[in-house]
Amino acid sequence: MSNKVNFGLKDAHFAPFEVIDGEVVYDTPIPLPGSVELSLEPRGDMVEFYADDVLYYSAQNNQGYDGTLTIANIPEEFLVEALGETKDEDDGVLTETSTGKGKPFALLFEFDGDVKAVRHVLYNCTANRPTVASSTKTATVEPNTNELTFVASPRETDYAVKTKTTTETPQAIYDAWYDSVYEKTSV
């Protein structure tokens, strides 16, 4: 039985990667706790070609997604690995420089469903620096959140953008989703 509805967001992880000898090598996924909201807007317009006074040809142009992840607090490890900030080993301060280079990463997360949670992976993400903001405490204290904007592009090696589980995904694959970035293996 498949899900009728999806709701919720949890278990966000990121996995930096490098391309070595034409092969994508992902690090072990690292938790991004405190996920509040995720939105993905498709990138790429419909290609349309007119001839003979009609729409002669049309096709999708899948360039991935523009994403926004709202999160309670951005972990230091993400700031260093994905955004290129440096952490001084002597005094423990983080420094953002105009020349800092982050790494691309996979983003893993799940949406709950009425039957079974659906786990996702976006294979090739690049994040932008987050907006820095806060507000004063008043009679009630509202926690601040951070918004990470990112682009999820097709992988250069095989053009994969996103993969997700279904209610028919074998339990072994489902259970190991956050142990490593899912890759289809040959049988």
Side-chain angles (χ1 to χ4, degrees):
M1 180 190 306
S2 62
N3 287 323
K4 291 181 182 177
V5 294
N6 288 320
F7 48 88
L9 168 66
K10 65 181 179 182
D11 288 337
H13 287 65
F14 78 104
F17 70 85
E18 295 181 275
V19 178
I20 301 172
D21 297 328
E23 185 178 331
V24 178
V25 179
Y26 291 97
D27 293 348
T28 301
I30 302 162
L32 279 170
S35 300
V36 176
E37 184 177 353
L38 175 69
S39 65
L40 299 170
E41 296 293 327
R43 289 178 63 98
D45 296 327
M46 181 68 83
V47 175
E48 295 180 345
F49 175 73
Y50 288 85
D52 296 329
D53 291 337
V54 296
L55 177 60
Y56 192 75
Y57 173 80
S58 65
Q60 296 179 5
N61 180 12
N62 186 342
Q63 296 300 316
Y65 297 91
D66 287 322
T68 302
L69 174 62
T70 305
I71 190 168
N73 197 23
I74 300 170
E76 285 180 12
E77 200 162 8
F78 187 85
L79 295 170
V80 171
E81 293 292 328
L83 298 179
E85 292 188 16
T86 56
K87 184 173 182 179
D88 188 283
E89 291 184 25
D90 296 327
D91 58 23
V93 297
L94 283 169
T95 302
E96 175 186 324
T97 65
S98 63
T99 57
K101 301 285 185 216
K103 283 185 180 177
F105 58 93
L107 181 64
L108 298 87
F109 56 92
E110 77 180 53
F111 297 146
D112 205 356
D114 61 311
V115 175
K116 188 174 187 178
V118 178
R119 295 180 171 174
H120 299 255
V121 60
L122 295 165
Y123 287 109
N124 182 20
C125 299
T126 307
N128 198 3
R129 295 174 301 136
T131 301
V132 178
S134 192
S135 58
T136 192
K137 294 190 285 182
T138 61
T140 60
V141 178
E142 287 290 323
N144 294 308
T145 58
N146 293 273
E147 278 192 359
L148 281 171
T149 57
F150 63 93
V151 173
S153 302
R155 265 193 315 209
E156 292 178 18
T157 55
D158 62 0
Y159 307 107
V161 175
K162 180 171 82 74
T163 295
K164 67 180 181 177
T165 62
T166 68
T167 54
E168 298 162 6
T169 299
Q171 197 64 42
I173 291 172
Y174 189 86
D175 291 344
W177 197 257
Y178 298 109
D179 296 341
S180 61
V181 173
Y182 173 80
E183 297 281 1
K184 174 72 175 173
T185 54
S186 305
V187 178

